[in-house]
Amino acid sequence: MEVVKGSVLLFKAAKEHGQDPYEQALKEKGIKVFSIPVLTFQYLNLEELRKRLNSPDRYSCLVFTSQRALDAVELAIKVDNTPLDQLWKDRPVFVVGKTTAEAAEKVGFVTTGSDTGNAEALAPVILKNISEDTRPVFFPCGNLRKETIPHKLKEKGYTVDSLVVYETSPNPDVRKNLQDLIQKEGVPELVSYFSPSGVQFTKPLLEELKIANKTKYISMGPSTTIELEKQSMPVEGEAKKPTKEGVIEEIIHVLQKYNSV
């Protein structure tokens, strides 16, 4: 097996149970891997979410663009073990990306759109599938959601019923965790970002600790790349697909480029 030299900081939460698949795959290649959770999540409006999930006849479809929205669903349905597989069997459920699809299927949904990768690509898939249905689209989302899906659907005359079911905040321990990491291990060669909000929340810390220009940046997808560039943080690589495999492949590619003998 080829060994890849280098170190990478993943600005993401580690998996709660078992080994994180990103860390495992990168460590198997010989890469030093560190993870720091950037964000914390508070779940909101769970009772209202449960009521709406129990009323699928009100909607033409259901749309998820984040795994956290599915975490909120999982919490909401625990109250009465809501049988989502039965309630929503006649309604399309749309998702962005494999991770969101896996989370949706875990709670009982049959999904469409896992291969789209972003909201821009998912919107036309939704429009194609609900063309004859004028009922509102149900969109459980976070407080920092992008307006891509609502905007594109509303442009075509559809109503979008958005419900904020989680709130994203900076993790108060990021500064200390980052400082401890630098003192013990030095500045990692790469920093991998998984969301625009992660970039926004950590850029001031990187500048404060004077390491913003001492590392290189990897992006999971287009929206994160745009935010990195907006923050004047040059993007060294962007995953060809916004998946675990895509991110890992890009990290390995960049480290090989800079550390090849």
Side-chain angles (χ1 to χ4, degrees):
M1 181 185 71
E2 182 184 5
V3 174
V4 181
K5 297 178 182 178
S7 59
V8 60
L9 168 59
L10 309 176
F11 268 136
K12 68 180 287 293
K15 189 178 179 184
E16 290 184 9
H17 305 289
Q19 187 165 16
D20 183 274
Y22 287 84
E23 292 188 18
Q24 183 177 0
L26 292 166
K27 285 177 180 177
E28 286 175 356
K29 284 286 188 178
I31 299 167
K32 292 181 73 173
V33 187
F34 312 99
S35 292
I36 294 179
V38 180
L39 310 172
T40 60
F41 302 96
Q42 179 181 359
Y43 296 97
L44 313 169
N45 300 318
L46 296 183
E47 177 61 24
E48 183 59 33
L49 174 59
R50 188 179 66 82
K51 288 179 181 177
R52 298 190 194 189
L53 289 171
N54 274 290
S55 304
D57 290 346
R58 292 171 53 184
Y59 301 104
S60 62
C61 67
L62 183 53
V63 177
F64 293 104
T65 57
S66 78
Q67 182 181 346
R68 300 300 171 184
L70 270 309
D71 291 342
V73 169
E74 189 169 9
L75 290 171
I77 65 174
K78 281 182 179 178
V79 175
D80 59 1
N81 294 315
T82 307
L84 297 176
D85 55 339
Q86 294 300 311
L87 286 170
W88 288 87
K89 66 179 180 179
D90 297 324
R91 296 281 179 280
V93 178
F94 299 98
V95 295
V96 167
K98 290 183 179 179
T99 302
T100 306
E102 288 170 1
E105 288 158 11
K106 179 183 173 185
V107 296
F109 293 119
V110 175
T111 66
T112 299
S114 64
D115 58 342
T116 55
N118 58 61
E120 192 79 29
L122 181 62
V125 176
I126 298 172
L127 289 167
K128 180 180 178 181
N129 281 273
I130 65 169
S131 58
E132 303 299 324
D133 199 328
T134 59
R135 285 173 293 185
V137 171
F138 184 29
F139 181 36
C141 56
N143 63 314
L144 300 180
R145 71 190 181 279
K146 299 293 184 183
E147 292 297 329
T148 305
I149 295 288
H151 178 71
K152 289 190 173 294
L153 297 185
K154 288 175 182 178
E155 269 187 339
K156 300 297 184 180
Y158 293 94
T159 302
V160 178
D161 182 5
S162 299
L163 178 67
V164 175
V165 296
Y166 70 95
E167 186 173 72
T168 305
S169 305
N171 183 345
D173 296 326
V174 172
R175 187 186 188 285
K176 181 181 183 305
N177 291 341
L178 184 56
Q179 199 166 26
D180 288 348
L181 171 63
I182 294 166
Q183 287 175 349
K184 292 176 183 177
E185 303 286 347
V187 180
E189 292 177 69
L190 291 183
V191 173
S192 182
Y193 279 103
F194 295 78
S195 70
S197 52
V199 177
Q200 294 164 5
F201 291 152
T202 58
K203 171 67 183 301
L205 292 177
L206 296 176
E207 290 184 331
E208 179 187 340
L209 296 173
K210 299 183 176 7
I211 63 168
N213 297 321
K214 295 180 180 180
T215 186
K216 300 177 178 66
Y217 301 103
I218 298 289
S219 160
M220 187 178 196
S223 60
T224 304
T225 295
I226 290 169
E227 186 60 38
L228 281 164
E229 292 172 344
K230 181 180 175 183
Q231 298 288 344
S232 300
M233 299 164 73
V235 180
E236 197 63 38
E238 178 186 307
K240 293 180 175 61
K241 291 185 177 181
T243 61
K244 178 193 73 177
E245 292 78 13
V247 173
I248 290 170
E249 182 182 332
E250 193 60 31
I251 289 170
I252 291 172
H253 171 72
V254 172
L255 285 176
Q256 285 177 325
K257 181 171 68 173
Y258 282 93
N259 294 320
S260 57
V261 178

